[in-house]
Amino acid sequence: MTIPTPLTGVVPPVCTPLTPDREVDVPSLIRLVDHLVAGGVDALFVLGSTSEAAYLTDEQRRLVTETVVGHVAGQVPVLAGAIDMTTPRVLDHVRAVTAAGAQAVVATAPFYTGTHPAEIARHYRLLAAHSPVPVLAYDIPAAVHTKLPTDVVLELAADRVVVGLKDSSGDLAGFRAVVTGVRAVTDFTVLTGSELLIDAALAMGADGAVPGLSNVDPVGYVRLDRLCRAGDWDRARAEQERLCALFGMIGVGGARMGGTASAIGAFKAALRLRGVIACAATAEPQVPLSEDEVERVGKYLAAAGLS
Amino acid sequence: MTIPTPLTGVVPPVCTPLTPDREVDVPSLIRLVDHLVAGGVDALFVLGSTSEAAYLTDEQRRLVTETVVGHVAGQVPVLAGAIDMTTPRVLDHVRAVTAAGAQAVVATAPFYTGTHPAEIARHYRLLAAHSPVPVLAYDIPAAVHTKLPTDVVLELAADRVVVGLKDSSGDLAGFRAVVTGVRAVTDFTVLTGSELLIDAALAMGADGAVPGLSNVDPVGYVRLDRLCRAGDWDRARAEQERLCALFGMIGVGGARMGGTASAIGAFKAALRLRGVIACAATAEPQVPLSEDEVERVGKYLAAAGLS
Amino acid sequence: MTIPTPLTGVVPPVCTPLTPDREVDVPSLIRLVDHLVAGGVDALFVLGSTSEAAYLTDEQRRLVTETVVGHVAGQVPVLAGAIDMTTPRVLDHVRAVTAAGAQAVVATAPFYTGTHPAEIARHYRLLAAHSPVPVLAYDIPAAVHTKLPTDVVLELAADRVVVGLKDSSGDLAGFRAVVTGVRAVTDFTVLTGSELLIDAALAMGADGAVPGLSNVDPVGYVRLDRLCRAGDWDRARAEQERLCALFGMIGVGGARMGGTASAIGAFKAALRLRGVIACAATAEPQVPLSEDEVERVGKYLAAAGLS
Amino acid sequence: MTIPTPLTGVVPPVCTPLTPDREVDVPSLIRLVDHLVAGGVDALFVLGSTSEAAYLTDEQRRLVTETVVGHVAGQVPVLAGAIDMTTPRVLDHVRAVTAAGAQAVVATAPFYTGTHPAEIARHYRLLAAHSPVPVLAYDIPAAVHTKLPTDVVLELAADRVVVGLKDSSGDLAGFRAVVTGVRAVTDFTVLTGSELLIDAALAMGADGAVPGLSNVDPVGYVRLDRLCRAGDWDRARAEQERLCALFGMIGVGGARMGGTASAIGAFKAALRLRGVIACAATAEPQVPLSEDEVERVGKYLAAAGLS
């Protein structure tokens, strides 16, 4: 199975349910996959930031990919993150996730180490040369502290080095420069990672979205995507605003934990409250949500009509 | 073998020589270890940032640690970096490097993901609980984009969670706060990672230094350390200034590559020019130095009396 | 004359033409005002960032405000920036620009000095208490290195402390949170400062835009605004993309000068090429554009149908 | 009167006492000057960051400079900050402070607006060309968000454009590069702005220091300076550590106000507790210290032997 080019629609970055002792909770993961596929999503993205890829051991990453690829059984394509610091280490993950059946890999710019546009381009060219499946670039400066330069993305797209971009930069003007700049590259996929600006991104010409919150409400995000494709912008805006309000849940942890712990903790708490996963534990060393904070997550669900 | 407490003196972060096809060059690595031990260094630190740990695969990391531990055979202690994003992944590296014989591990704050002082403390407490050898904290905000908070370091020191700190923050005022704050914890080790401020750090009361440039000139750094310990501050300053001038080599790559590529490229070029290693290749995707740039490295060596 | 509430449409941040010896070029300024008003703009904003307010002396600021207010003679409202570091200094500018006839003032968060959400709120409350005209908040983190917190903006809006927001943050998700959050405050104005995302901002519910590039092509921006208001999103997108391409001119100065020098230099060069102003000089110490760079500006104009 | 070249010793950045209604408290300012001169300081620096220059109106700045210059009457040199965004505005302040009698001016890189090394150099060259008194460069990236590039400082020093550097960057390695780089320029002054690293800076060869905390304890800082000059490094370190502990007062405001409000608030509270100034008010919009926080300032004084 190969991914469509371009890949369109809603591609949830699949949360990784954990047991109370922080092992991958395979039955919950399978229920989550069913929940997403039943919600109408167009593909799945495992081992992304929302999947806590940064926290999963290599063995856990393998288990997640095999589980999801095996269970989804071709109903929708499965993309996998290959999140690591530099080319040689990312290539080891590319080998692992493709051996486990991923149909495309998603890789960031180098991080931890200092980098440079010439090195970023070289990084992707090496990844593409050695990957058995297509490579998408993942622009996530909040994590890697480097913004993928627009001209580098356009050069890699024109040369068919990368087949797509997942943009989690929050910089919609830069995103637009890619969307318009790759219009001649007809099979290039541009996905936004923002939960909050999907109507705007699709209106500009983006192909789809990778919203972490679609774990919680896949039906809502699929509805939003379809409204946008139908050009029904007023109803799309209303649906987007409902989802923006729901996204407020990511702040429940407040100042007593990191932003990731609060956001992922809220998504998992919501999934548990909705009966999809068995346990809302996040990986170490994240601070867990308190009962009060989980209760506030429940209120966000109720306000969005999801209780 | 265990590490001394405190660990004092010069602890080079050992470069990882590579072959032209980017495999670990074991004979060169052994020659480099001999060069450092012969230079009088007090311990070795493998798999740090200067070692290109961010670029080495798990297999290469294992090979490096085993090679160095095996060859050094107890002449000096060997510390190993366990550089990865979060607790579960770092713990896998802790297992690997201690299996390979490292006598202490060095770990940063979580990176890639958002973090928080409470999560940083939890991270180190979990590492210490599961590590068979002592843990040192590695403060390197340029890489992980979080500064270890002074109060967290002092709390972890007082509780004997971490046995030392390697400070590569460049913030000498914060460093001083740790040096004075841990004075009551008599067996705690404070090491500066700066090539340029070792006299100042030792004058404040630091225990030692982890200068990347000591790969190139171990004798110079050992001399500097001994002058400081003798209270011969004028000659120490002169030696430090000679080494500061030598450190200028890290800029030879200029604006056409990343800072890491230029610095590590220069160290390796210098080691090749000095006849220690066989090949100056840096790991992918770093841009290599040109012949002209290598020639400029040679001039830095000559100016420092090392040709 | 008072400003409409909300203020809608296109509000150019008026460039400040200078003579070759860097005095305000009053005849050129008057021609520029005529060019903008004839282009159909809805209000004028003097002494903003695009106006080089940061470079103008107090005397020059006074001359600019008096000239524009006097010449525009009530055809459209005139807002004026009161750009300075803290409350007491901003209040001096508020007095000056309102004495010169400005109908509203626009002020940023404190800068140079460290600040805090509580101090930002206090800042605007003091400004509003002492200003004879309405105050708009100006969110420009690239200049002041603080993002106006959404909750502070919403609190100030609800309390009628500020009557509007000019958002030059580039953070469209945060912008959306304000747009939806102030919907109950019917007379509050939300303006985007982005040249590149006006269709998206208006689709979300913004009231108008303050695009620096509208100095060069006011007719285009007014057309874009009207298409959005008519719900003609396809033609709006095409017009927005034409303006995005034109905006590429801001990069002509490349790496040999600051981004402000390149952008303002390009706008002024374009205005001179279009025959609106007499001289394209930017204020000291900005590096001037070269002849080649000005020629490239001309090509951007031609490509956008403006030669 | 002219400033010595180089200027050596302790140069307090003089706090600006305010009345409860935020006017300059001239009698308190005069008492503060007497307190500093009696403490043995070598020069005074008015209108710096510690002086709340960012908060003072032009009229207040004039009053401060005239008051201090007039009262000090040549006992020590008086330097004045000319803190504003760009060259034309800074030049207006240069005119004002030199008219008021300042014997040298201190100016930062451009801020608010984007800048560039070429523009920073041009900025200082224009300032020097138009200033009737010598110009010192003020490196304060925490305020202006640009670090003065070492090569620019060395070029300006070699060309006698600026006669000195006040370094508040916190980057002691970069500071050292200037100290050693200007050694051939015998009349160039290098001052550190750090309260915490003066022994280290003087050991490297700096000429003097501009510590905000010397408002509170001028005698301590003068003692520290004299111990360093005498090469009595052990006693210097002990005195420096006493002052480091005293400096802890800057944190009393905690997370409920900006760092400037907390630090300046603490200095002023300490000056009031020591009987030097009448009122500890800080300028708007800074949050004032609470009674509890002031009490904690008193404990820092007591612990340092200053109650």
Side-chain angles (χ1 to χ4, degrees), chain C residues 136-151:
Chain C
L136 288 90
Y138 188 175
D139 192 18
I140 184 163
V144 305
H145 300 276
T146 303
K147 173 92 179 75
L148 288 185
T150 300
D151 56 348

Side-chain angles (χ1 to χ4, degrees), chain D residues 10-76:
Chain D
V10 177
V11 186
V14 185
C15 282
T16 306
L18 300 177
T19 64
D21 55 352
R22 268 68 173 193
E23 291 305 323
V24 176
D25 177 348
V26 171
S28 287
L29 178 57
I30 287 173
R31 281 198 302 277
L32 175 56
V33 166
D34 287 341
H35 162 74
L36 298 171
V37 172
V41 306
D42 299 280
L44 296 175
F45 172 37
V46 297
L47 305 185
S49 305
T50 302
S51 318
E52 296 174 272
Y55 299 88
L56 300 177
T57 64
D58 287 355
E59 176 55 24
Q60 290 176 322
R61 291 185 179 196
R62 186 193 58 73
L63 177 57
V64 165
T65 312
E66 287 182 1
T67 299
V68 173
V69 170
H71 184 71
V72 84
Q75 299 172 81
V76 295

Side-chain angles (χ1 to χ4, degrees), chain D residues 82-94:
Chain D
I83 307 300
D84 216 311
M85 295 170 246
T86 61
T87 320
R89 294 187 62 82
V90 171
L91 278 173
D92 273 358
H93 295 291
V94 168

Side-chain angles (χ1 to χ4, degrees), chain D residues 223-267:
Chain D
R223 187 187 306 128
L224 169 58
D225 177 75
R226 303 314 182 242
L227 288 167
C228 293
R229 284 175 203 289
D232 190 348
W233 298 112
D234 286 343
R235 289 176 64 210
R237 182 169 75 165
E239 182 64 13
Q240 176 70 78
E241 290 182 3
R242 186 185 65 81
L243 292 164
C244 288
L246 182 62
F247 192 64
M249 72 169 61
I250 70 162
V252 295
R256 68 179 200 86
M257 65 187 67
T260 304
S262 180
I264 307 293
F267 292 167

Side-chain angles (χ1 to χ4, degrees), chain A residues 89, chain B residues 16 18 24 47 51-58 60-61 64:
Chain A
R89 295 187 62 81
Chain B
T16 306
L18 299 177
V24 176
L47 305 185
S51 318
E52 295 174 271
Y55 299 88
L56 300 178
T57 64
D58 287 355
Q60 290 176 323
R61 291 184 180 198
V64 164

Side-chain angles (χ1 to χ4, degrees), chain B residues 121-168:
Chain B
R122 190 172 173 126
H123 175 64
Y124 283 112
R125 289 184 183 278
L126 287 164
L127 295 183
H130 293 89
S131 172
V133 299
V135 177
L136 288 91
Y138 189 176
D139 192 18
I140 184 164
V144 306
H145 299 277
T146 303
K147 174 91 181 73
L148 288 184
T150 300
D151 57 348
V152 170
V153 173
L154 296 181
E155 167 202 316
L156 296 173
D159 291 354
R160 264 64 174 179
V161 173
V162 296
V163 303
L165 173 72
K166 171 186 184 318
D167 181 316
S168 297

Side-chain angles (χ1 to χ4, degrees), chain C residues 63-90:
Chain C
L63 178 57
V64 164
T65 312
E66 287 183 1
T67 299
V68 173
V69 169
H71 184 71
V72 84
Q75 299 172 81
V76 294
V78 178
L79 294 71
I83 307 300
D84 216 312
M85 296 170 247
T86 62
T87 320
R89 295 186 61 82
V90 172

Side-chain angles (χ1 to χ4, degrees), chain B residues 154-241:
Chain B
L154 296 181
E155 167 202 316
L156 296 173
D159 291 354
R160 264 64 174 179
V161 173
V162 296
V163 303
L165 173 72
K166 171 186 184 318
D167 181 316
S168 297
S169 71
D171 171 11
L172 202 63
F175 182 76
R176 174 166 236 159
V178 173
V179 167
T180 56
V182 299
R183 216 165 262 158
V185 187
T186 51
D187 50 0
F188 190 84
T189 296
V190 189
L191 305 172
T192 176
S194 172
E195 279 86 354
L196 305 172
L197 299 174
I198 290 172
D199 55 347
L202 294 180
M204 285 174 191
D207 297 295
V210 189
L213 185 63
S214 65
N215 281 279
V216 176
D217 189 7
V219 170
Y221 275 100
V222 170
R223 187 186 307 128
L224 169 58
D225 178 75
R226 304 313 183 241
L227 289 168
C228 293
R229 285 177 202 288
D232 190 348
W233 298 110
D234 286 343
R235 289 176 64 209
R237 182 169 76 166
E239 182 64 13
Q240 176 69 80
E241 290 182 3

